[in-house]
Amino acid sequence: MDTSHSAESLIEQGCDLLEQERFQEAIACFDFALRFDSDSAYAWYCRGCALSSLERYAEAAESYLKVTKLAPERSIAWYNLGNALQQLGQVEQALQCFDAATHLDPEDADAWINKGRLLDDAGDPSQAIECYDRALDLAPEDLVAWSNRGNSLKDLEQFEAALESYQEALRLQAHHWPALFGAGDCLMALDRPQEALGFLERGLRYNPEWAAGWCNRGVVLGQLGLDTEALLSLQEAVKREPDEPAVWNNLAEIHARLEQSEEAIQAFDRALALSNSYAPAWFGKARLLYHLGQQDQARRAYQQYVTHGDPEDPHVRQVRQWLAS
C-alpha cells in the first residue's frame, strides 16, 4: 500500500470537510491520515484548526504544538498555538508563541495585534501600544488595532490620544461598538459629558447588552442632572451585570440623590456584599448615614472606608483625621 498517498488523500478529504464546517468528520480524516504518517505537520495543523473551530482548545493546542516541533519555521502554527493557549488562559505561554510568530514573520499584523492584546491583559499597556503601532505600520486600516490601541492609551489615562485612536476606528467602521464605548469613556474622563452621552447611546444601539455602557450612560446622565433617566439606565446595567460592585454603587448614588434613602442603603449593601473592600461604597454609605443623622453607623462605615481606601488618597487622609478628632 502506498501509505504516503493514502495519508495525502485523507488530508485532502479532511480539508474539504473543514471547508464545509463538518469539523468532527474532518478530525476523523486527519486522525486516520496520521496513522499512516504521524510526522505530517500539515495533518497536525489542519487537525488543530478543526479542533479550534469546535472550541476544543486544549486538544487544538496539542496539535499545534506538534506542528511547532515538526516544522518550527511555520509562523502560522505558533500564531494558532498562541490563540489556543490564550483561550485556555495560559497568558505567559501564549505570549511566547506570539513572540515566536512575530520573530518568524515580522510582517504578520495579526500576530502583533494578538501580542498587544495579551500584553494589555497582562497589565503592560505601554508595550501593547508598541505592538499595535507595529501592526498599524503594516496594516494602517486595521480596525481592531486602532480600537485596541485606544484601550491601552485609556488604561494609561492618556484620554486625548485614546480618543484619537477610537475615532480612527470609527472612521473605518462607524458602528464599531467597542470604539464607541471607549470614546464615551474618554469623554467622561475629559469632563465632556454631553459628548460622552452621544457615543454611549450609539454604542448601546449596536450592543444593548453591554452592562458597562448602561452604567456609564447612567453616570453621565447623573452628571447632567437627569437623575430619573440615570436611575433607569443603571437599573438596566444591574440586570445585565448583577455581580459588579461598581454598578450597584452608582445605582446607590442616584437613589441617594433622588432621596430614596432605603433603596440607596440596600444598593450600597449589595455592592459591599459582592466586595467588602470596595471603598467607594463604604464612603457613599457613610455619607448617607451621616446625613440621615445615624452618626454611630456613619463613623463605622467611614472607618471601613479608611481601612479599605488608598492610604495615599487625600480624601482618605481627610476622613482619617476627622475620625481621630
PDB file of all heavy atoms in Angstrom, residues 231-261:
ATOM      1  N   LEU A 231     -31.248  56.749  36.766  1.00  0.00           N
ATOM      2  CA  LEU A 231     -31.691  55.599  37.560  1.00  0.00           C
ATOM      3  C   LEU A 231     -32.123  54.454  36.652  1.00  0.00           C
ATOM      4  O   LEU A 231     -31.740  53.294  36.855  1.00  0.00           O
ATOM      5  CB  LEU A 231     -32.839  56.018  38.477  1.00  0.00           C
ATOM      6  CG  LEU A 231     -33.395  54.924  39.393  1.00  0.00           C
ATOM      7  CD1 LEU A 231     -32.356  54.492  40.408  1.00  0.00           C
ATOM      8  CD2 LEU A 231     -34.658  55.417  40.102  1.00  0.00           C
ATOM      9  N   LEU A 232     -32.904  54.762  35.635  1.00  0.00           N
ATOM     10  CA  LEU A 232     -33.374  53.731  34.713  1.00  0.00           C
ATOM     11  C   LEU A 232     -32.201  53.073  33.988  1.00  0.00           C
ATOM     12  O   LEU A 232     -32.192  51.850  33.781  1.00  0.00           O
ATOM     13  CB  LEU A 232     -34.350  54.344  33.699  1.00  0.00           C
ATOM     14  CG  LEU A 232     -35.676  54.852  34.274  1.00  0.00           C
ATOM     15  CD1 LEU A 232     -36.475  55.585  33.196  1.00  0.00           C
ATOM     16  CD2 LEU A 232     -36.501  53.711  34.860  1.00  0.00           C
ATOM     17  N   SER A 233     -31.217  53.872  33.609  1.00  0.00           N
ATOM     18  CA  SER A 233     -30.057  53.337  32.910  1.00  0.00           C
ATOM     19  C   SER A 233     -29.259  52.402  33.813  1.00  0.00           C
ATOM     20  O   SER A 233     -28.824  51.320  33.394  1.00  0.00           O
ATOM     21  CB  SER A 233     -29.173  54.481  32.411  1.00  0.00           C
ATOM     22  OG  SER A 233     -28.195  54.017  31.501  1.00  0.00           O
ATOM     23  N   LEU A 234     -29.070  52.795  35.058  1.00  0.00           N
ATOM     24  CA  LEU A 234     -28.313  51.961  35.991  1.00  0.00           C
ATOM     25  C   LEU A 234     -29.070  50.696  36.358  1.00  0.00           C
ATOM     26  O   LEU A 234     -28.460  49.646  36.601  1.00  0.00           O
ATOM     27  CB  LEU A 234     -27.961  52.777  37.234  1.00  0.00           C
ATOM     28  CG  LEU A 234     -26.847  53.793  36.969  1.00  0.00           C
ATOM     29  CD1 LEU A 234     -26.853  54.907  37.996  1.00  0.00           C
ATOM     30  CD2 LEU A 234     -25.485  53.092  36.957  1.00  0.00           C
ATOM     31  N   GLN A 235     -30.382  50.768  36.367  1.00  0.00           N
ATOM     32  CA  GLN A 235     -31.161  49.551  36.596  1.00  0.00           C
ATOM     33  C   GLN A 235     -30.982  48.566  35.448  1.00  0.00           C
ATOM     34  O   GLN A 235     -30.943  47.350  35.650  1.00  0.00           O
ATOM     35  CB  GLN A 235     -32.640  49.905  36.795  1.00  0.00           C
ATOM     36  CG  GLN A 235     -32.914  50.566  38.142  1.00  0.00           C
ATOM     37  CD  GLN A 235     -34.322  51.132  38.260  1.00  0.00           C
ATOM     38  OE1 GLN A 235     -34.970  51.431  37.248  1.00  0.00           O
ATOM     39  NE2 GLN A 235     -34.800  51.300  39.490  1.00  0.00           N
ATOM     40  N   GLU A 236     -30.844  49.099  34.226  1.00  0.00           N
ATOM     41  CA  GLU A 236     -30.556  48.229  33.083  1.00  0.00           C
ATOM     42  C   GLU A 236     -29.171  47.588  33.241  1.00  0.00           C
ATOM     43  O   GLU A 236     -28.974  46.422  32.892  1.00  0.00           O
ATOM     44  CB  GLU A 236     -30.614  49.031  31.784  1.00  0.00           C
ATOM     45  CG  GLU A 236     -32.000  49.486  31.386  1.00  0.00           C
ATOM     46  CD  GLU A 236     -32.911  48.316  31.030  1.00  0.00           C
ATOM     47  OE1 GLU A 236     -32.408  47.291  30.519  1.00  0.00           O
ATOM     48  OE2 GLU A 236     -34.123  48.413  31.285  1.00  0.00           O
ATOM     49  N   ALA A 237     -28.215  48.358  33.758  1.00  0.00           N
ATOM     50  CA  ALA A 237     -26.871  47.819  33.972  1.00  0.00           C
ATOM     51  C   ALA A 237     -26.894  46.683  34.985  1.00  0.00           C
ATOM     52  O   ALA A 237     -26.255  45.643  34.791  1.00  0.00           O
ATOM     53  CB  ALA A 237     -25.932  48.931  34.431  1.00  0.00           C
ATOM     54  N   VAL A 238     -27.659  46.866  36.076  1.00  0.00           N
ATOM     55  CA  VAL A 238     -27.744  45.852  37.125  1.00  0.00           C
ATOM     56  C   VAL A 238     -28.355  44.557  36.589  1.00  0.00           C
ATOM     57  O   VAL A 238     -27.925  43.457  36.930  1.00  0.00           O
ATOM     58  CB  VAL A 238     -28.560  46.388  38.315  1.00  0.00           C
ATOM     59  CG1 VAL A 238     -29.020  45.261  39.221  1.00  0.00           C
ATOM     60  CG2 VAL A 238     -27.726  47.383  39.104  1.00  0.00           C
ATOM     61  N   LYS A 239     -29.339  44.683  35.696  1.00  0.00           N
ATOM     62  CA  LYS A 239     -29.952  43.489  35.108  1.00  0.00           C
ATOM     63  C   LYS A 239     -28.916  42.661  34.357  1.00  0.00           C
ATOM     64  O   LYS A 239     -28.965  41.430  34.353  1.00  0.00           O
ATOM     65  CB  LYS A 239     -31.067  43.890  34.133  1.00  0.00           C
ATOM     66  CG  LYS A 239     -32.321  44.428  34.777  1.00  0.00           C
ATOM     67  CD  LYS A 239     -33.326  44.807  33.675  1.00  0.00           C
ATOM     68  CE  LYS A 239     -34.502  45.568  34.232  1.00  0.00           C
ATOM     69  NZ  LYS A 239     -35.415  46.025  33.141  1.00  0.00           N
ATOM     70  N   ARG A 240     -27.991  43.347  33.711  1.00  0.00           N
ATOM     71  CA  ARG A 240     -27.037  42.665  32.840  1.00  0.00           C
ATOM     72  C   ARG A 240     -25.766  42.238  33.566  1.00  0.00           C
ATOM     73  O   ARG A 240     -25.094  41.311  33.140  1.00  0.00           O
ATOM     74  CB  ARG A 240     -26.685  43.576  31.652  1.00  0.00           C
ATOM     75  CG  ARG A 240     -27.853  43.723  30.685  1.00  0.00           C
ATOM     76  CD  ARG A 240     -27.712  44.919  29.772  1.00  0.00           C
ATOM     77  NE  ARG A 240     -28.755  44.929  28.764  1.00  0.00           N
ATOM     78  CZ  ARG A 240     -30.008  45.355  28.984  1.00  0.00           C
ATOM     79  NH1 ARG A 240     -30.345  45.814  30.195  1.00  0.00           N
ATOM     80  NH2 ARG A 240     -30.908  45.333  28.019  1.00  0.00           N
ATOM     81  N   GLU A 241     -25.441  42.925  34.650  1.00  0.00           N
ATOM     82  CA  GLU A 241     -24.214  42.585  35.385  1.00  0.00           C
ATOM     83  C   GLU A 241     -24.461  42.737  36.884  1.00  0.00           C
ATOM     84  O   GLU A 241     -23.957  43.667  37.519  1.00  0.00           O
ATOM     85  CB  GLU A 241     -23.053  43.465  34.925  1.00  0.00           C
ATOM     86  CG  GLU A 241     -21.707  42.915  35.321  1.00  0.00           C
ATOM     87  CD  GLU A 241     -20.563  43.569  34.577  1.00  0.00           C
ATOM     88  OE1 GLU A 241     -20.812  44.469  33.761  1.00  0.00           O
ATOM     89  OE2 GLU A 241     -19.421  43.170  34.809  1.00  0.00           O
ATOM     90  N   PRO A 242     -25.228  41.802  37.447  1.00  0.00           N
ATOM     91  CA  PRO A 242     -25.618  41.933  38.858  1.00  0.00           C
ATOM     92  C   PRO A 242     -24.486  41.652  39.836  1.00  0.00           C
ATOM     93  O   PRO A 242     -24.669  41.858  41.043  1.00  0.00           O
ATOM     94  CB  PRO A 242     -26.741  40.898  38.995  1.00  0.00           C
ATOM     95  CG  PRO A 242     -26.447  39.872  37.944  1.00  0.00           C
ATOM     96  CD  PRO A 242     -25.841  40.639  36.799  1.00  0.00           C
ATOM     97  N   ASP A 243     -23.339  41.200  39.355  1.00  0.00           N
ATOM     98  CA  ASP A 243     -22.243  40.846  40.262  1.00  0.00           C
ATOM     99  C   ASP A 243     -21.104  41.859  40.239  1.00  0.00           C
ATOM    100  O   ASP A 243     -19.994  41.558  40.684  1.00  0.00           O
ATOM    101  CB  ASP A 243     -21.689  39.462  39.890  1.00  0.00           C
ATOM    102  CG  ASP A 243     -22.723  38.362  40.064  1.00  0.00           C
ATOM    103  OD1 ASP A 243     -23.569  38.495  40.966  1.00  0.00           O
ATOM    104  OD2 ASP A 243     -22.688  37.389  39.295  1.00  0.00           O
ATOM    105  N   GLU A 244     -21.382  43.066  39.754  1.00  0.00           N
ATOM    106  CA  GLU A 244     -20.344  44.097  39.670  1.00  0.00           C
ATOM    107  C   GLU A 244     -20.593  45.164  40.739  1.00  0.00           C
ATOM    108  O   GLU A 244     -21.592  45.894  40.677  1.00  0.00           O
ATOM    109  CB  GLU A 244     -20.337  44.728  38.285  1.00  0.00           C
ATOM    110  CG  GLU A 244     -19.388  45.903  38.121  1.00  0.00           C
ATOM    111  CD  GLU A 244     -17.989  45.591  38.585  1.00  0.00           C
ATOM    112  OE1 GLU A 244     -17.406  44.617  38.055  1.00  0.00           O
ATOM    113  OE2 GLU A 244     -17.484  46.309  39.473  1.00  0.00           O
ATOM    114  N   PRO A 245     -19.719  45.281  41.760  1.00  0.00           N
ATOM    115  CA  PRO A 245     -19.944  46.256  42.843  1.00  0.00           C
ATOM    116  C   PRO A 245     -20.104  47.686  42.355  1.00  0.00           C
ATOM    117  O   PRO A 245     -20.916  48.445  42.896  1.00  0.00           O
ATOM    118  CB  PRO A 245     -18.689  46.104  43.714  1.00  0.00           C
ATOM    119  CG  PRO A 245     -18.158  44.760  43.402  1.00  0.00           C
ATOM    120  CD  PRO A 245     -18.503  44.483  41.972  1.00  0.00           C
ATOM    121  N   ALA A 246     -19.323  48.088  41.334  1.00  0.00           N
ATOM    122  CA  ALA A 246     -19.376  49.473  40.872  1.00  0.00           C
ATOM    123  C   ALA A 246     -20.753  49.829  40.333  1.00  0.00           C
ATOM    124  O   ALA A 246     -21.212  50.974  40.495  1.00  0.00           O
ATOM    125  CB  ALA A 246     -18.321  49.711  39.800  1.00  0.00           C
ATOM    126  N   VAL A 247     -21.423  48.883  39.713  1.00  0.00           N
ATOM    127  CA  VAL A 247     -22.762  49.156  39.169  1.00  0.00           C
ATOM    128  C   VAL A 247     -23.738  49.430  40.308  1.00  0.00           C
ATOM    129  O   VAL A 247     -24.507  50.399  40.262  1.00  0.00           O
ATOM    130  CB  VAL A 247     -23.243  47.970  38.305  1.00  0.00           C
ATOM    131  CG1 VAL A 247     -24.651  48.218  37.803  1.00  0.00           C
ATOM    132  CG2 VAL A 247     -22.305  47.763  37.120  1.00  0.00           C
ATOM    133  N   TRP A 248     -23.691  48.587  41.333  1.00  0.00           N
ATOM    134  CA  TRP A 248     -24.585  48.802  42.481  1.00  0.00           C
ATOM    135  C   TRP A 248     -24.251  50.108  43.202  1.00  0.00           C
ATOM    136  O   TRP A 248     -25.151  50.820  43.667  1.00  0.00           O
ATOM    137  CB  TRP A 248     -24.471  47.625  43.457  1.00  0.00           C
ATOM    138  CG  TRP A 248     -25.178  46.395  42.984  1.00  0.00           C
ATOM    139  CD1 TRP A 248     -24.625  45.277  42.441  1.00  0.00           C
ATOM    140  CD2 TRP A 248     -26.596  46.180  42.989  1.00  0.00           C
ATOM    141  NE1 TRP A 248     -25.598  44.377  42.110  1.00  0.00           N
ATOM    142  CE2 TRP A 248     -26.819  44.893  42.439  1.00  0.00           C
ATOM    143  CE3 TRP A 248     -27.690  46.932  43.410  1.00  0.00           C
ATOM    144  CZ2 TRP A 248     -28.091  44.346  42.306  1.00  0.00           C
ATOM    145  CZ3 TRP A 248     -28.961  46.397  43.274  1.00  0.00           C
ATOM    146  CH2 TRP A 248     -29.160  45.124  42.730  1.00  0.00           C
ATOM    147  N   ASN A 249     -22.969  50.440  43.283  1.00  0.00           N
ATOM    148  CA  ASN A 249     -22.568  51.682  43.943  1.00  0.00           C
ATOM    149  C   ASN A 249     -23.107  52.899  43.201  1.00  0.00           C
ATOM    150  O   ASN A 249     -23.635  53.836  43.818  1.00  0.00           O
ATOM    151  CB  ASN A 249     -21.044  51.748  44.017  1.00  0.00           C
ATOM    152  CG  ASN A 249     -20.559  52.995  44.714  1.00  0.00           C
ATOM    153  OD1 ASN A 249     -20.785  53.185  45.909  1.00  0.00           O
ATOM    154  ND2 ASN A 249     -19.891  53.862  43.980  1.00  0.00           N
ATOM    155  N   ASN A 250     -22.995  52.882  41.862  1.00  0.00           N
ATOM    156  CA  ASN A 250     -23.526  54.002  41.085  1.00  0.00           C
ATOM    157  C   ASN A 250     -25.046  54.089  41.199  1.00  0.00           C
ATOM    158  O   ASN A 250     -25.607  55.191  41.258  1.00  0.00           O
ATOM    159  CB  ASN A 250     -23.103  53.864  39.623  1.00  0.00           C
ATOM    160  CG  ASN A 250     -21.636  54.163  39.417  1.00  0.00           C
ATOM    161  OD1 ASN A 250     -21.054  54.991  40.115  1.00  0.00           O
ATOM    162  ND2 ASN A 250     -21.015  53.483  38.469  1.00  0.00           N
ATOM    163  N   LEU A 251     -25.693  52.934  41.220  1.00  0.00           N
ATOM    164  CA  LEU A 251     -27.143  52.928  41.409  1.00  0.00           C
ATOM    165  C   LEU A 251     -27.500  53.524  42.773  1.00  0.00           C
ATOM    166  O   LEU A 251     -28.445  54.321  42.889  1.00  0.00           O
ATOM    167  CB  LEU A 251     -27.666  51.491  41.299  1.00  0.00           C
ATOM    168  CG  LEU A 251     -29.176  51.297  41.504  1.00  0.00           C
ATOM    169  CD1 LEU A 251     -29.969  52.020  40.425  1.00  0.00           C
ATOM    170  CD2 LEU A 251     -29.519  49.806  41.517  1.00  0.00           C
ATOM    171  N   ALA A 252     -26.739  53.158  43.783  1.00  0.00           N
ATOM    172  CA  ALA A 252     -26.991  53.687  45.129  1.00  0.00           C
ATOM    173  C   ALA A 252     -26.851  55.205  45.171  1.00  0.00           C
ATOM    174  O   ALA A 252     -27.646  55.905  45.813  1.00  0.00           O
ATOM    175  CB  ALA A 252     -26.031  53.044  46.122  1.00  0.00           C
ATOM    176  N   GLU A 253     -25.838  55.717  44.489  1.00  0.00           N
ATOM    177  CA  GLU A 253     -25.612  57.162  44.491  1.00  0.00           C
ATOM    178  C   GLU A 253     -26.800  57.904  43.878  1.00  0.00           C
ATOM    179  O   GLU A 253     -27.209  58.972  44.378  1.00  0.00           O
ATOM    180  CB  GLU A 253     -24.328  57.495  43.719  1.00  0.00           C
ATOM    181  CG  GLU A 253     -23.050  57.020  44.400  1.00  0.00           C
ATOM    182  CD  GLU A 253     -22.688  57.857  45.620  1.00  0.00           C
ATOM    183  OE1 GLU A 253     -23.378  58.846  45.910  1.00  0.00           O
ATOM    184  OE2 GLU A 253     -21.699  57.500  46.289  1.00  0.00           O
ATOM    185  N   ILE A 254     -27.376  57.364  42.817  1.00  0.00           N
ATOM    186  CA  ILE A 254     -28.535  58.015  42.195  1.00  0.00           C
ATOM    187  C   ILE A 254     -29.752  57.924  43.103  1.00  0.00           C
ATOM    188  O   ILE A 254     -30.509  58.896  43.255  1.00  0.00           O
ATOM    189  CB  ILE A 254     -28.819  57.393  40.816  1.00  0.00           C
ATOM    190  CG1 ILE A 254     -27.663  57.699  39.863  1.00  0.00           C
ATOM    191  CG2 ILE A 254     -30.137  57.924  40.243  1.00  0.00           C
ATOM    192  CD1 ILE A 254     -27.443  59.171  39.574  1.00  0.00           C
ATOM    193  N   HIS A 255     -29.955  56.757  43.737  1.00  0.00           N
ATOM    194  CA  HIS A 255     -31.057  56.638  44.701  1.00  0.00           C
ATOM    195  C   HIS A 255     -30.905  57.701  45.800  1.00  0.00           C
ATOM    196  O   HIS A 255     -31.892  58.341  46.206  1.00  0.00           O
ATOM    197  CB  HIS A 255     -31.064  55.251  45.347  1.00  0.00           C
ATOM    198  CG  HIS A 255     -31.765  54.201  44.543  1.00  0.00           C
ATOM    199  ND1 HIS A 255     -33.069  54.354  44.109  1.00  0.00           N
ATOM    200  CD2 HIS A 255     -31.368  52.971  44.133  1.00  0.00           C
ATOM    201  CE1 HIS A 255     -33.436  53.253  43.445  1.00  0.00           C
ATOM    202  NE2 HIS A 255     -32.424  52.413  43.437  1.00  0.00           N
ATOM    203  N   ALA A 256     -29.680  57.892  46.274  1.00  0.00           N
ATOM    204  CA  ALA A 256     -29.442  58.873  47.333  1.00  0.00           C
ATOM    205  C   ALA A 256     -29.778  60.283  46.850  1.00  0.00           C
ATOM    206  O   ALA A 256     -30.393  61.072  47.582  1.00  0.00           O
ATOM    207  CB  ALA A 256     -27.987  58.798  47.794  1.00  0.00           C
ATOM    208  N   ARG A 257     -29.398  60.601  45.616  1.00  0.00           N
ATOM    209  CA  ARG A 257     -29.687  61.937  45.080  1.00  0.00           C
ATOM    210  C   ARG A 257     -31.177  62.155  44.889  1.00  0.00           C
ATOM    211  O   ARG A 257     -31.665  63.284  44.963  1.00  0.00           O
ATOM    212  CB  ARG A 257     -28.931  62.133  43.774  1.00  0.00           C
ATOM    213  CG  ARG A 257     -27.450  62.375  44.023  1.00  0.00           C
ATOM    214  CD  ARG A 257     -26.638  62.366  42.771  1.00  0.00           C
ATOM    215  NE  ARG A 257     -27.104  63.309  41.764  1.00  0.00           N
ATOM    216  CZ  ARG A 257     -26.444  63.590  40.652  1.00  0.00           C
ATOM    217  NH1 ARG A 257     -25.282  62.996  40.426  1.00  0.00           N
ATOM    218  NH2 ARG A 257     -26.912  64.449  39.772  1.00  0.00           N
ATOM    219  N   LEU A 258     -31.892  61.070  44.635  1.00  0.00           N
ATOM    220  CA  LEU A 258     -33.349  61.160  44.500  1.00  0.00           C
ATOM    221  C   LEU A 258     -34.059  61.061  45.855  1.00  0.00           C
ATOM    222  O   LEU A 258     -35.288  60.970  45.910  1.00  0.00           O
ATOM    223  CB  LEU A 258     -33.856  60.052  43.575  1.00  0.00           C
ATOM    224  CG  LEU A 258     -33.473  60.207  42.090  1.00  0.00           C
ATOM    225  CD1 LEU A 258     -33.774  58.923  41.327  1.00  0.00           C
ATOM    226  CD2 LEU A 258     -34.241  61.378  41.477  1.00  0.00           C
ATOM    227  N   GLU A 259     -33.248  61.078  46.949  1.00  0.00           N
ATOM    228  CA  GLU A 259     -33.747  60.986  48.318  1.00  0.00           C
ATOM    229  C   GLU A 259     -34.527  59.697  48.555  1.00  0.00           C
ATOM    230  O   GLU A 259     -35.476  59.653  49.335  1.00  0.00           O
ATOM    231  CB  GLU A 259     -34.614  62.222  48.664  1.00  0.00           C
ATOM    232  CG  GLU A 259     -33.830  63.522  48.576  1.00  0.00           C
ATOM    233  CD  GLU A 259     -34.642  64.735  49.019  1.00  0.00           C
ATOM    234  OE1 GLU A 259     -35.827  64.569  49.340  1.00  0.00           O
ATOM    235  OE2 GLU A 259     -34.073  65.838  49.046  1.00  0.00           O
ATOM    236  N   GLN A 260     -34.080  58.650  47.902  1.00  0.00           N
ATOM    237  CA  GLN A 260     -34.633  57.307  48.113  1.00  0.00           C
ATOM    238  C   GLN A 260     -33.638  56.566  49.003  1.00  0.00           C
ATOM    239  O   GLN A 260     -32.893  55.691  48.564  1.00  0.00           O
ATOM    240  CB  GLN A 260     -34.836  56.606  46.771  1.00  0.00           C
ATOM    241  CG  GLN A 260     -35.825  57.333  45.870  1.00  0.00           C
ATOM    242  CD  GLN A 260     -35.862  56.781  44.447  1.00  0.00           C
ATOM    243  OE1 GLN A 260     -35.069  55.926  44.071  1.00  0.00           O
ATOM    244  NE2 GLN A 260     -36.778  57.297  43.638  1.00  0.00           N
ATOM    245  N   SER A 261     -33.636  56.944  50.282  1.00  0.00           N
ATOM    246  CA  SER A 261     -32.571  56.516  51.190  1.00  0.00           C
ATOM    247  C   SER A 261     -32.553  55.012  51.419  1.00  0.00           C
ATOM    248  O   SER A 261     -31.480  54.383  51.437  1.00  0.00           O
ATOM    249  CB  SER A 261     -32.721  57.241  52.536  1.00  0.00           C
ATOM    250  OG  SER A 261     -32.653  58.630  52.348  1.00  0.00           O
TER     251      SER A 261
END
